[in-house]
Amino acid sequence: MKLIDVQKILRAEVLCGGEYLTRDVEVACGADLMSDVLAFTKEKALLLTGLTNIQVIRTAEMSDLVGIVFVRGKRPGPEVLQLAAAKGIPLLLSDYPMYESCGILYRVGLKGCSEKVTACEV
Amino acid sequence: MITLEMQLDGASFETAGEASSRVKKVLQQIGVPGDVTRRVAIAAYEAEMNVIIHARRGIMTALIYPDRTELTVADEGPGIADISLAMQEGYSTAPDSVREMGFGAGMGLPNMARCSDEFDIETVIGEGTKIRMTIYHEKRP
């Protein structure tokens, strides 16, 4: 699956990094706990989160995340967008809440970080 | 060898992560494998956040050799009363304000140890904590 597929499926607005939407997404995780993201995600993982502070971007940077989806219409501030743009981290904004966002992506084959990566088709 | 030394200021959440970002950038520039760079960055960032959350100030030093990176993060802070307890996943003394930012879940020290090939803590109550981590640049099997 590619980020652009995620964007379409979650009817998401692209906040920044539109040029990176052809990136592959291999796995995903939904978390508001950045410590868990740092501890348990894999490379090329997509993060879905309800947190919008600058540490979310730093966490994505350190963990080599492929992108971030802010759920339930939570819009981050300009300093967050600025850092994400500088670090080449695409940001999406979906109105779906966390549970539904994760469920929708899981249903179309995007696996979690604890599972073996398998090819998924949209 | 490349030496990086960076000042860390307690409670400066806006700039937290800049030191680790610098280390990561240098490792990328010299061609260290991506998964190794990722482990160094995560270990450094967890240590940096610990200083921002718990200490008054600290210094992060990264010594980057051809075969390994040695990270030292030394702070002036409260110290750790019980290291074995602090190494347990889920144990934390961080305040609620930090938890609301997505940290302080008691994963920091165990995660640093997991990312490192060698890991060592020295701490003195009321004075501070020094964490030393070595990560070899060879990929893990």
Side-chain angles (χ1 to χ4, degrees), chain A residues 34 41 55 58 61 63-64, chain B residues 13 18 21 24 38 45 102:
Chain A
M34 295 304 108
T41 56
Q55 299 311 325
R58 287 294 186 195
E61 179 193 0
S63 304
D64 292 331
Chain B
F13 289 99
E18 281 182 6
S21 180
K24 182 174 187 186
R38 183 173 186 267
Y45 183 52

Side-chain angles (χ1 to χ4, degrees), chain A:
Chain A
M1 188 182 294
K2 294 195 181 294
L3 264 178
I4 195 160
D5 301 318
V6 172
Q7 186 230 333
K8 285 178 188 163
I9 293 164
L10 296 181
R11 297 176 191 169
E13 178 185 339
V14 181
L15 299 177
C16 75
E19 64 271 38
Y20 304 121
L21 294 186
T22 52
R23 281 184 186 169
D24 286 320
V25 183
E26 293 184 354
V27 289
C29 72
D32 287 348
L33 208 48
M34 295 304 108
S35 308
D36 277 356
V37 177
L38 288 164
F40 300 117
T41 56
K42 296 173 181 169
E43 287 171 69
K44 293 194 176 179
L46 174 74
L47 170 65
L48 296 98
T49 185
L51 268 194
T52 56
N53 65 41
I54 205 147
Q55 299 311 325
V56 177
I57 309 300
R58 287 294 186 195
T59 299
E61 179 193 0
M62 302 307 160
S63 304
D64 292 331
L65 299 183
V66 75
I68 300 169
V69 179
F70 295 106
V71 297
R72 202 156 59 80
K74 291 182 184 173
R75 194 175 288 273
E79 71 289 352
V80 172
L81 299 182
Q82 208 176 349
L83 184 63
K87 299 296 176 187
I89 298 166
L91 302 182
L92 304 177
L93 176 69
S94 175
D95 283 333
Y96 287 115
M98 177 72 105
Y99 180 74
E100 287 169 46
S101 300
C102 294
I104 291 166
L105 292 177
Y106 196 85
R107 193 174 55 194
V108 296
L110 185 58
K111 301 295 184 197
C113 288
S114 66
E115 298 176 71
K116 281 185 182 170
V117 177
T118 52
C120 37
E121 305 275 331
V122 178

Side-chain angles (χ1 to χ4, degrees), chain B residues 20-70:
Chain B
S20 308
S21 180
R22 226 179 114 194
V23 175
K24 182 174 187 186
K25 198 171 176 187
V26 171
L27 292 176
Q28 284 173 327
Q29 282 168 346
I30 64 170
V32 172
D35 66 323
V36 176
T37 298
R38 183 173 186 267
R39 281 198 287 123
V40 174
I42 291 174
Y45 183 52
E46 289 277 22
E48 185 175 357
M49 282 307 290
N50 264 7
V51 174
I52 306 301
I53 292 167
H54 296 286
R56 287 185 297 281
R57 65 183 71 86
I59 292 174
M60 178 187 291
T61 310
L63 304 179
I64 303 170
Y65 297 91
D67 68 327
R68 68 189 187 279
T69 296
E70 293 180 4

